[in-house]
Coordinates of all heavy atoms in Angstrom, one line a residue:
M1422 N 100.9 110.7 139.9 CA 100.7 109.9 138.7 C 100.5 110.8 137.5 O 101.1 110.5 136.4 CB 99.6 108.9 138.9 CG 99.5 108.0 137.7 SD 98.0 106.9 137.8 CE 98.7 105.6 138.8
E1423 N 99.7 111.8 137.6 CA 99.4 112.7 136.5 C 100.7 113.4 136.1 O 101.0 113.4 134.9 CB 98.4 113.7 137.0 CG 97.8 114.5 135.9 CD 96.7 115.5 136.4 OE1 96.1 115.2 137.5 OE2 96.4 116.5 135.7
A1424 N 101.5 113.8 137.0 CA 102.8 114.5 136.7 C 103.8 113.5 136.0 O 104.5 113.9 135.1 CB 103.4 115.1 137.9
E1425 N 103.8 112.3 136.5 CA 104.7 111.3 136.0 C 104.3 111.0 134.5 O 105.1 110.8 133.7 CB 104.5 110.0 136.8 CG 105.5 108.9 136.4 CD 105.4 107.7 137.3 OE1 105.1 107.9 138.5 OE2 105.7 106.6 136.9
G1426 N 103.0 111.0 134.2 CA 102.5 110.8 132.9 C 102.9 111.9 132.0 O 103.4 111.7 130.8
R1427 N 102.8 113.1 132.4 CA 103.3 114.3 131.6 C 104.7 114.2 131.3 O 105.2 114.5 130.2 CB 102.9 115.6 132.3 CG 101.5 116.0 132.1 CD 101.2 117.4 132.5 NE 101.6 117.7 133.9 CZ 100.8 117.6 134.9 NH1 99.5 117.2 134.8 NH2 101.2 117.9 136.1
G1428 N 105.5 113.8 132.3 CA 106.9 113.6 132.2 C 107.3 112.6 131.1 O 108.2 112.8 130.3
E1429 N 106.6 111.5 131.1 CA 106.8 110.4 130.1 C 106.5 110.9 128.7 O 107.2 110.6 127.8 CB 105.9 109.2 130.4 CG 106.6 108.2 131.3 CD 105.9 106.9 131.4 OE1 105.5 106.3 130.4 OE2 105.7 106.4 132.6
Q1430 N 105.4 111.7 128.6 CA 105.1 112.3 127.3 C 106.2 113.2 126.8 O 106.6 113.2 125.7 CB 103.8 113.1 127.4 CG 102.5 112.3 127.6 CD 101.3 113.1 127.7 OE1 100.9 113.8 126.7 NE2 100.7 113.2 128.9
L1431 N 106.7 114.0 127.7 CA 107.8 114.9 127.3 C 109.1 114.2 126.9 O 109.7 114.5 125.9 CB 108.1 115.9 128.5 CG 107.1 116.9 128.8 CD1 107.4 117.7 130.1 CD2 106.9 117.9 127.7
R1432 N 109.4 113.1 127.6 CA 110.5 112.3 127.2 C 110.3 111.7 125.9 O 111.2 111.6 125.0 CB 110.8 111.2 128.3 CG 111.5 111.8 129.5 CD 112.0 110.7 130.5 NE 110.9 109.9 131.0 CZ 110.2 110.3 132.1 NH1 110.4 111.4 132.7 NH2 109.2 109.5 132.5
G1433 N 109.1 111.2 125.6 CA 108.7 110.6 124.3 C 108.8 111.7 123.2 O 109.3 111.4 122.1
N1434 N 108.4 112.9 123.5 CA 108.5 114.0 122.5 C 109.9 114.2 122.2 O 110.3 114.4 121.0 CB 107.8 115.2 123.0 CG 106.3 115.2 123.1 OD1 105.7 114.3 122.5 ND2 105.7 116.0 123.9
A1435 N 110.8 114.3 123.2 CA 112.2 114.6 123.0 C 112.8 113.5 122.2 O 113.6 113.7 121.2 CB 112.9 114.8 124.3
R1436 N 112.6 112.2 122.5 CA 113.2 111.1 121.8 C 112.7 111.1 120.3 O 113.4 110.7 119.4 CB 112.8 109.8 122.5 CG 113.6 109.7 123.8 CD 113.3 108.5 124.6 NE 114.1 108.4 125.8 CZ 114.1 107.5 126.7 NH1 113.2 106.5 126.5 NH2 114.8 107.5 127.7
E1437 N 111.4 111.4 120.1 CA 110.9 111.4 118.8 C 111.6 112.5 117.9 O 112.0 112.3 116.8 CB 109.4 111.7 118.8 CG 108.8 111.6 117.4 CD 107.3 111.8 117.4 OE1 106.7 112.5 118.3 OE2 106.7 111.4 116.4
T1438 N 111.8 113.7 118.6 CA 112.6 114.8 117.9 C 114.0 114.3 117.5 O 114.4 114.6 116.4 CB 112.6 116.0 118.8 OG1 111.2 116.4 119.0 CG2 113.3 117.1 118.1
V1439 N 114.6 113.7 118.4 CA 116.0 113.2 118.2 C 116.0 112.2 117.0 O 116.8 112.2 116.1 CB 116.6 112.5 119.4 CG1 117.9 111.8 119.1 CG2 116.9 113.6 120.5
A1440 N 115.0 111.3 117.0 CA 114.9 110.3 115.9 C 114.6 111.0 114.6 O 115.2 110.6 113.6 CB 113.8 109.3 116.2
K1441 N 113.8 111.9 114.6 CA 113.5 112.7 113.3 C 114.7 113.4 112.8 O 115.0 113.4 111.6 CB 112.3 113.6 113.5 CG 110.9 113.0 113.6 CD 109.9 114.0 113.8 CE 108.5 113.4 113.9 NZ 107.5 114.5 114.0
T1442 N 115.4 114.0 113.7 CA 116.6 114.8 113.4 C 117.6 113.8 112.8 O 118.3 114.1 111.7 CB 117.2 115.5 114.6 OG1 116.2 116.4 115.1 CG2 118.4 116.3 114.2
G1443 N 117.8 112.7 113.4 CA 118.7 111.7 112.8 C 118.3 111.2 111.4 O 119.2 111.1 110.6
D1444 N 117.0 111.0 111.2 CA 116.6 110.7 109.9 C 116.9 111.7 108.9 O 117.3 111.5 107.7 CB 115.1 110.4 109.9 CG 114.7 109.1 110.6 OD1 115.6 108.3 110.9 OD2 113.5 109.0 110.9
R1445 N 116.7 113.0 109.3 CA 117.0 114.1 108.3 C 118.5 114.2 108.0 O 118.8 114.4 106.8 CB 116.5 115.4 109.0 CG 115.0 115.6 109.0 CD 114.6 117.0 109.5 NE 113.2 117.0 109.7 CZ 112.6 117.4 110.8 NH1 113.4 117.8 111.8 NH2 111.3 117.3 111.0
V1446 N 119.3 113.9 109.0 CA 120.8 114.0 108.8 C 121.1 112.8 107.8 O 121.9 113.1 106.9 CB 121.5 113.9 110.1 CG1 123.0 113.6 109.9 CG2 121.3 115.1 110.9
K1447 N 120.6 111.7 108.0 CA 120.9 110.5 107.1 C 120.5 110.8 105.7 O 121.2 110.5 104.7 CB 120.2 109.3 107.6 CG 120.8 108.7 108.9 CD 120.1 107.5 109.3 CE 120.6 107.0 110.7 NZ 119.8 105.9 111.2
R1448 N 119.3 111.4 105.5 CA 118.8 111.7 104.2 C 119.6 112.8 103.5 O 119.7 112.8 102.3 CB 117.3 112.2 104.2 CG 116.3 111.0 104.4 CD 114.9 111.5 104.2 NE 114.8 112.5 105.3 CZ 113.6 112.8 105.9 NH1 112.5 112.2 105.5 NH2 113.6 113.6 106.9
S1449 N 120.1 113.7 104.3 CA 120.9 114.8 103.6 C 122.3 114.3 103.2 O 122.9 115.0 102.5 CB 121.0 116.0 104.6 OG 121.9 115.6 105.6

Side-chain angles (χ1 to χ4, degrees):
M1422 181 185 278
E1423 193 175 338
E1425 189 177 329
R1427 279 194 303 271
E1429 273 190 45
Q1430 287 179 70
L1431 291 173
R1432 284 189 296 277
N1434 289 342
R1436 290 179 178 179
E1437 183 178 25
T1438 300
V1439 168
K1441 284 181 179 180
T1442 302
D1444 288 347
R1445 287 185 190 127
V1446 169
K1447 287 178 188 175
R1448 279 187 300 210
S1449 73

